Amino acid sequence: MPSTVEVTGHRPYACRAGESFDLLAGRAYGQEVMASTIIAANPDLCDVVLFEGGESIDLPLVERVESPDTLPPWRRK
């Protein structure tokens, strides 16, 4: 079952040279798999592998990334 993501808004972010969607997702959400959420908010940049620096993207603000029902047993609190 996929994680539950509730996007509550966006904030602008200026990318740095060498950053990627999965790197940004790891920093912003603690999970690289959330890169698809950032890509969905920035479809015009979906073909970018590494940013050159200076690109402006919308970084989604998420209310909830995972719920206990979607976590594997060893990650449940």
Side-chain angles (χ1 to χ4, degrees):
M1 178 180 286
S3 299
T4 302
V5 176
E6 186 177 326
V7 177
T8 60
H10 296 88
R11 70 175 174 95
Y13 179 80
C15 297
R16 294 180 235 157
E19 289 183 319
S20 61
F21 284 112
D22 58 338
L23 180 71
L24 294 173
R27 287 182 186 157
Y29 312 117
Q31 298 181 2
E32 291 84 4
V33 297
M34 293 286 294
S36 60
T37 302
I38 302 173
I39 293 168
N42 300 278
D44 54 323
L45 297 172
C46 68
D47 60 343
V48 173
V49 176
L50 292 175
F51 291 103
E52 294 180 12
E55 296 92 343
S56 181
I57 65 167
D58 288 326
L59 192 60
L61 303 174
V62 295
E63 181 68 31
R64 177 181 55 197
V65 175
E66 293 179 311
S67 67
D69 295 335
T70 63
L71 290 172
W74 60 89
R75 291 194 53 205
R76 295 178 187 164
K77 292 182 181 181

